[in-house]
């Protein structure tokens, strides 16, 4: 059987998922994901050309409400669990290249 | 002297309302028991004694002032550690949320507080509710109170074990693919997954948003009905919360099964099923006929596809939901020179292997070139699974089946084989995909030491009353199906 997922694909997916994987994890996930994908391949046996997808089982319409301001969490409460908070903002590493030393 | 820890929630709330016992005495008795035995079980990640006693005292004060205490007056409750609880650390069993203290209450927590429940602590769980054995917790394992060498089931294993071991009469869990029903089955307690949309998910840490549902563990069906009636109902803060009233769930109890048609799906008694488990479940189903139900064999032909559908849909939703753990707003941050590196290293350090595996599978299933073949296909087959149930529920009022194909397996037995672990949920996944209410009630034992087995009862969407009615009638007819674990005092 053709390989369901290659190591290169695992590396690509890890990058999309923002997960830094070790070499050992890449090996292991390649094998395990291939086994799981082998199992889910059984879905190919079913003809679903005229079947609509189900995103959610109770078939609710998206509810509407008045566009009114309501109290939110508040800045102090939002800041409390933050790993880094500076001048009223979540602080993160530099994302725009500039005058780096 | 009554043993407060052996009483039900209904009984405890009555004692508090009548003044025969104080909420404080009840909280102290349960805390004392939990402190005495939980080193052998590991059900709780954290017991919050001080908060519990404060809540209990508030209930006692309320009664002293002449105000009527609520429906769960003084009832000790264990909370699965993924419900946002103001001022109480909430980790989801994950290192990435270690030390995270929410600043607000989930709707379910608000409703339990308003009913005067007393929170004893946070229960162990598979990390982000991903697992069937609670072995994926980043913090500790939980042992099955009936046999400490075995798993309690998962992902709500701590909640199930805490109720079975009588540390609490009630614990709250969540069920995405069986995470209430399967541990209830393995721990010999009752666990109800309400209809999708019946209970607000606002403030619940999301795993798979089209499947997640909150529900109770209890030692009686009446207690399950009582707690569900407290937590259920429309919540405008959750756009998937169903805008409909909740019927009187307690009124469904105390009846026989005359006039009910109950279907037994042939696809749930298949090869691979433990023959002893099948025997116990068959005997329980026969009991339903004695109670007046008309039994008939039914077919849910797409049952065998549910596992594949679930592991594509749930992982796709999880990969999206868990993208929020990026080290920016809360939780762990691993410092790095660039933002991208910070994301990738934070997530690498904060997530355990099963969570990473599911994020990888979900990201793959949603990625360009594979979306139609995997995620799109799974959503279409989900429709076929739903249609199976629609058709059968045109004929019958409830469907009964085993909750799990086996009794609790041994700790460590399946940790290295994800697919084997996933198969533990093969009988609970279909009702999750179709959004149906489903309960697991203890129906007997197998082996030595005796391990509990659960009977699963599934109903039409929003028909919790029928599900509870069947479970309650069975419970009253089969008192021997409920036992306390022998290994505990």
């Amino acid at each position: 059987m053709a390989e369901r997922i290659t190591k290169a694909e695992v590396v690509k997916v890890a990058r999309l998922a923002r997960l830094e994987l070790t070499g050992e994890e890449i090996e292991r996930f390649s094998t395990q994901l291939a086994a799981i994908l082998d199992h889910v391949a059984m879905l190919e046996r079913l003809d679903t050309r005229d079947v609509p997808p189900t995103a959610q089982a109770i078939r609710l319409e998206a509810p509407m409400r008045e566009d009114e301001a309501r109290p939110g969490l508040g800045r102090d409460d939002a800041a409390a669990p933050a790993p880094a908070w500076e001048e009223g903002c979540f602080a993160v590493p530099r994302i725009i290249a500039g005058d780096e030393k | 002297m009554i043993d407060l820890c052996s009483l039900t929630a209904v009984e405890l709330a009555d004692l508090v309302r009548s003044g025969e016992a104080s909420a404080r005495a009840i909280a102290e008795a349960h805390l004392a028991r939990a402190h005495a035995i939980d080193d052998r079980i590991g059900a709780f990640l954290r017991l919050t004694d001080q908060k519990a006693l404060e809540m209990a005292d508030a209930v006692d004060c309320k009664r002293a002032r002449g105000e009527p205490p609520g429906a769960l007056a003084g009832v000790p409750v264990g909370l699965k550690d993924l419900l946002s609880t103001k001022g109480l650390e909430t980790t989801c069993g994950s290192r990435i949320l270690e030390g995270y203290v929410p600043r607000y209450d989930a709707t379910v927590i608000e409703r339990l507080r308003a009913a005067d429940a007393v929170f004893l602590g946070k229960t162990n769980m598979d990390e982000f509710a991903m697992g069937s054995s609670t072995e994926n917790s980043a913090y500790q394992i939980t042992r099955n109170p009936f046999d400490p060498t075995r798993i309690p089931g998962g992902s709500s294993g701590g909640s199930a074990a805490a109720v079975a071991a009588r540390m609490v009469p009630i614990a709250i869990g969540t069920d995405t693919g069986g995470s209430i029903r399967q541990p209830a089955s393995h721990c010999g307690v009752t666990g109800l997954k309400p209809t999708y949309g019946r209970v607000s998910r606002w403030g619940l840490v999301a795993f798979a948003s089209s499947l997640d549902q909150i529900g109770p563990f209890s030692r009686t069906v009446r207690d399950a009905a009582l707690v569900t009636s407290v937590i259920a109902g429309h919540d405008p803060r959750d756009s998937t919360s169903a805008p409909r009233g909740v019927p009187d769930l307690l009124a469904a109890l105390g009846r026989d099964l005359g006039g009910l048609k109950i279907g037994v799906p042939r696809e749930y008694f298949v090869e691979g099923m433990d023959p002893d488990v099948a025997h116990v479940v068959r005997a329980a189903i026969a009991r339903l006929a004695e109670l007046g139900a008309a039994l008939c064999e039914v077919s849910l032909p797409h049952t065998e596809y549910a596992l594949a559908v679930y592991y594509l849909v749930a992982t796709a939703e999880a990969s999206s939901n868990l993208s929020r753990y990026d080290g920016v707003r809360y939780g762990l941050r691993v410092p790095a020179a660039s933002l991208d590196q910070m994301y990738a290293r934070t997530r690498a350090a904060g997530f355990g292997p099963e969570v990473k595996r599911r994020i990888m599978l979900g990201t793959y299933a949603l990625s360009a070139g594979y979306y139609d073949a995997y995620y799109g296909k799974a959503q279409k087959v989900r429709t076929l699974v739903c249609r199976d149930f629609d058709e059968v529920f045109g004929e019958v009022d409830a469907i009964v089946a085993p909750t799990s194909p086996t009794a609790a397996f041994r700790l460590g037995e399946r940790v290295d084989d994800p697919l084997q672990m996933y198969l533990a949920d093969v009988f609970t996944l279909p009702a999750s995909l179709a959004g149906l209410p489903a309960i697991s009630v203890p129906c007997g034992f197998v082996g030595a030491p005796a391990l509990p087995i659960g009977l699963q009862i599934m109903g039409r969407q929003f028909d919790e009353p029928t599900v509870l009615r069947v479970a309650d009638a069975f419970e009253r007819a089969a008192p021997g199906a409920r036992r306390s674990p022998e290994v505990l005092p």
Side-chain angles (χ1 to χ4, degrees), chain B residues 63-328:
Chain B
R63 188 178 174 277
R65 286 197 304 269
E67 291 172 44
L72 296 174
V75 174
V77 175
L79 300 170
K80 187 178 183 179
D81 202 21
L82 78 178
L83 292 158
S84 298
T85 321
K86 191 173 181 175
L88 288 181
E89 186 180 358
T90 301
T91 67
C92 293
S94 181
R95 292 286 171 204
I96 212 160
L97 282 176
E98 192 166 9
Y100 169 65
V101 180
R103 311 290 278 193
Y104 63 97
D105 278 331
T107 298
V108 161
I109 298 294
E110 282 180 355
R111 290 184 179 181
L112 290 168
R113 280 191 207 275
D116 290 325
V118 170
F119 302 152
L120 239 57
K122 295 300 199 79
T123 59
N124 196 24
M125 55 182 286
D126 285 302
E127 185 177 4
F128 285 103
M130 298 178 185
S132 308
S133 69
T134 312
E135 292 166 295
N136 295 332
S137 167
Y139 298 98
Q140 64 192 38
I141 58 164
T142 297
R143 297 176 182 277
N144 190 307
F146 283 86
D147 178 352
T149 68
R150 292 178 187 269
I151 56 109
S155 66
S156 314
S159 288
V163 171
R166 288 180 281 125
M167 295 183 232
V168 279
I170 300 294
I172 303 297
T174 57
D175 189 314
T176 302
S179 283
I180 290 174
R181 291 162 283 159
Q182 185 255 16
S185 172
H186 288 342
C187 289
V189 297
T190 292
L192 172 68
K193 181 196 91 73
T195 307
Y196 180 82
R198 182 60 104 181
V199 177
S200 169
R201 295 184 296 110
W202 195 81
L204 164 67
V205 177
F207 159 19
S209 303
S210 79
L211 298 158
D212 296 342
Q213 190 58 197
I214 301 167
F217 289 90
S218 60
R219 293 193 295 270
T220 65
V221 174
R222 184 167 291 272
D223 276 4
L226 176 67
V227 176
T228 306
S229 65
V230 167
I231 63 176
H234 180 238
D235 176 12
R237 291 180 296 191
D238 171 5
S239 65
T240 61
S241 160
R244 55 162 82 206
V246 182
D248 184 345
L249 300 178
L250 292 162
L253 311 180
R255 304 169 60 186
D256 66 15
L257 301 180
L260 275 190
K261 275 190 85 174
I262 296 182
V264 184
R266 70 171 70 100
E267 290 82 4
Y268 284 63
F269 293 89
V270 289
E271 269 180 76
M273 173 91 193
D274 180 320
D276 294 337
V277 173
H279 179 77
V280 168
V281 173
R282 289 270 189 209
I285 292 172
R287 190 73 71 104
L288 301 177
E290 292 166 23
L291 293 165
L295 299 178
C296 61
E297 189 181 76
V298 296
S299 176
L300 298 161
H302 295 93
T303 299
E304 64 172 316
Y305 298 98
L307 182 69
V309 172
Y310 177 83
Y311 276 95
L312 292 167
V313 169
T315 58
E317 294 181 11
S319 74
S320 167
N321 275 324
L322 271 60
S323 66
R324 71 190 59 176
Y325 303 102
D326 56 7
V328 174

Side-chain angles (χ1 to χ4, degrees), chain A residues 9-10 13 17-18 20 25 32 42-43 45-46 48 51-52 54-55 57-58 77 80-83 91 95, chain B residues 103 196 210 240 304 327-330 333 339-340 344-345 347-348 356-357 360 370 377 379-380 383 387 461:
Chain A
E9 281 175 310
V10 169
V13 171
R18 298 295 186 275
E20 190 174 85
E25 281 176 319
Q32 289 174 338
M42 73 188 295
L43 299 181
R45 300 205 298 252
L46 293 169
T48 52
V51 180
T54 294
I58 61 167
D77 281 335
I95 48 172
Chain B
R103 311 290 278 193
Y196 180 82
S210 79
T240 61
E304 64 172 316
V328 174
R329 288 157 301 166
Y330 34 68
R333 169 185 292 195
L339 189 63
D340 250 356
R345 289 188 182 166
R347 292 160 63 79
K356 288 181 188 173
R357 190 152 46 233
M360 291 289 292
Y370 297 106
K377 182 79 182 184
Q379 284 195 311
K380 290 180 172 187
T383 303
R387 283 180 183 169
Q461 286 181 355

Side-chain angles (χ1 to χ4, degrees), chain B residues 335-348:
Chain B
S338 76
L339 189 63
D340 250 356
Q341 224 170 41
M342 184 193 90
Y343 294 152
R345 289 188 182 166
T346 295
R347 292 160 63 79

Side-chain angles (χ1 to χ4, degrees), chain B residues 11 21 35 46 70 91 106 123 152 163 174 178 306 336 370 382 411 451 476:
Chain B
E11 290 165 339
H35 282 293
R46 271 157 270 115
T91 67
T123 59
V163 171
T174 57
Y370 297 106
R382 184 175 183 180
L411 286 160
L451 297 172
R476 285 181 291 114

